[in-house]
Amino acid sequence: RRDAAGPAPLGSVTSAVAGCVRQPVLVLAVSIHLEIETRELRSDEFGLAEEIWIDYHELKADPAIDRIFGVFVNDELVSIARCRRHPDGYEVDGVFTPARFRGRGYARRSMDALVEACQHDTLYMHSVRNLVDFYGKYGFISIPESDLPPTIRARFAFALGEMEGANVQPMHRIAGRFRR
């Protein structure tokens, strides 16, 4: 169950395969080093976020009102989260990781950076219902739609007050220190 060349545990797939065979199995470990950087994007990098958002509602970025936080793996942007300034509040949206990069904690890293940087402002969002618990770890709590600032509430006006039918849950995070 361990890499013979060192103390690293085998991956779950490799371990399962090795556990299924009757003959001894030699597993060659290939050293892989990923350089992972989490940071706020510069305005000249907003096009990278828009490329990722092509698969997520084709969102557009505006340097005048947006702060975008991303995770870069070997200099490739793999996950993003946006905080958009509205006239009456700050909205978290555009949290997205392309399918091929999911399951590695990149969305968590981008949200960590966003909440850390924006912790002094009350943040609002429309969470997809199956992610309410994920955002709850950042201090977001469910609120009635009527508690959203008007310009943020207007983004889902098409739902006509039926947030459940739109599969979203309004949430907010009161300004305050972020502790992971």
Side-chain angles (χ1 to χ4, degrees):
R1 299 265 179 228
R2 304 213 50 82
D3 182 354
L10 296 176
S12 60
V13 172
T14 303
S15 183
V17 169
C20 290
V21 296
R22 294 185 179 144
Q23 298 292 328
V25 176
L26 173 64
V27 177
L28 298 177
V30 178
S31 178
I32 297 174
H33 174 73
L34 297 177
E35 185 175 315
I36 301 173
E37 178 186 21
T38 305
R39 63 175 173 81
E40 185 169 358
L41 275 65
R42 300 180 311 269
S43 59
D44 65 318
E45 296 175 310
F46 278 22
L48 298 173
E50 290 178 351
E51 287 176 25
I52 287 181
W53 283 329
I54 286 173
D55 295 329
Y56 182 76
H57 310 296
E58 297 184 11
L59 296 180
K60 299 295 179 191
D62 182 347
I65 59 174
D66 291 338
R67 294 182 73 183
I68 301 173
F69 301 85
V71 178
F72 292 83
V73 175
N74 294 338
D75 297 323
E76 180 179 3
L77 185 60
V78 300
S79 184
I80 50 179
R82 171 172 72 179
C83 182
R84 174 164 271 193
R85 186 180 70 247
H86 291 263
D88 53 1
Y90 293 88
E91 179 184 23
V92 174
D93 76 338
V95 180
F96 187 70
T97 304
R100 69 185 184 278
F101 298 115
R102 291 184 187 157
R104 300 177 186 147
Y106 298 145
R108 180 188 48 78
R109 286 175 178 255
S110 61
M111 278 299 296
D112 283 353
L114 183 150
V115 175
E116 175 72 28
C118 301
Q119 66 184 325
H120 301 294
D121 297 303
T122 295
L123 304 173
Y124 297 89
M125 71 179 338
H126 292 91
S127 172
V128 177
R129 289 193 176 273
N130 64 326
L131 294 177
V132 166
D133 290 341
F134 172 75
Y135 294 117
K137 294 175 183 171
Y138 293 94
F140 284 89
I141 59 170
S142 296
I143 59 172
E145 182 181 3
S146 60
D147 287 356
L148 290 169
T151 60
I152 296 172
R153 185 173 55 240
R155 288 207 335 104
F156 276 80
F158 67 87
L160 302 172
E162 291 297 324
M163 290 288 109
E164 190 169 328
N167 193 34
V168 295
Q169 174 61 52
M171 300 182 83
H172 76 173
R173 180 187 187 279
I174 300 298
R177 184 165 178 190
F178 172 61
R179 293 182 190 99
R180 190 75 174 126

